[in-house]
Amino acid sequence: MRIQSAQTISEICEICKNNDTSIILVPPFSLVTIKEKFTELTATPHIVLIPITFMNLSLAFKEIQVASQKLKNLIFHEKLEDQCREFIDKHPEIGK
């Protein structure tokens, strides 16, 4: 998981292509455009867009903390689920 900033739509596209889990800090004026153009990217729980300006820096910090914890929990549960599936596949008698 990474926390990155992006100013342009092309920067956001690049981040989304290279990372499957990201918190992306974006200028508030471009947030609506980004959400409209990249509905499929912003709909995934692995991508979190947070509008940030110097004026809302303290609020954004709190949002980043909350988003980070949610993404960590999501990643943990996905990995745990995968490991449980692998274990059950190796031991089919458990699934009965």
Side-chain angles (χ1 to χ4, degrees):
M1 180 180 67
R2 293 183 179 196
I3 299 173
Q4 300 179 6
S5 64
Q7 296 294 317
T8 64
I9 291 174
S10 61
E11 287 177 337
I12 291 168
C13 286
E14 197 61 34
I15 291 169
C16 291
K17 274 194 317 192
N18 295 328
N19 300 299
D20 52 338
T21 303
S22 293
I23 295 173
I24 306 173
L25 308 177
V26 298
F29 57 84
S30 64
L31 185 63
V32 173
T33 305
I34 293 163
K35 284 185 175 185
E36 287 174 355
K37 289 189 176 188
F38 300 103
T39 308
E40 68 281 353
L41 291 176
T42 58
T44 175
H46 291 273
I47 302 293
V48 178
L49 300 175
I50 297 178
I52 189 166
T53 65
F54 184 72
M55 298 300 286
N56 75 348
L57 195 55
S58 61
L59 278 175
F61 182 72
K62 184 69 173 168
E63 285 184 61
I64 292 167
Q65 285 180 315
V66 170
S68 176
Q69 190 59 48
K70 284 181 182 178
L71 288 173
K72 284 179 186 176
N73 289 343
L74 177 68
I75 292 167
F76 172 78
H77 287 287
E78 287 175 348
K79 286 183 180 180
L80 182 62
E81 188 176 312
D82 289 344
Q83 288 178 350
C84 288
R85 273 195 207 114
E86 286 176 21
F87 184 80
I88 289 172
D89 288 346
K90 289 179 183 175
H91 305 281
E93 69 278 4
I94 292 174
K96 293 180 181 180

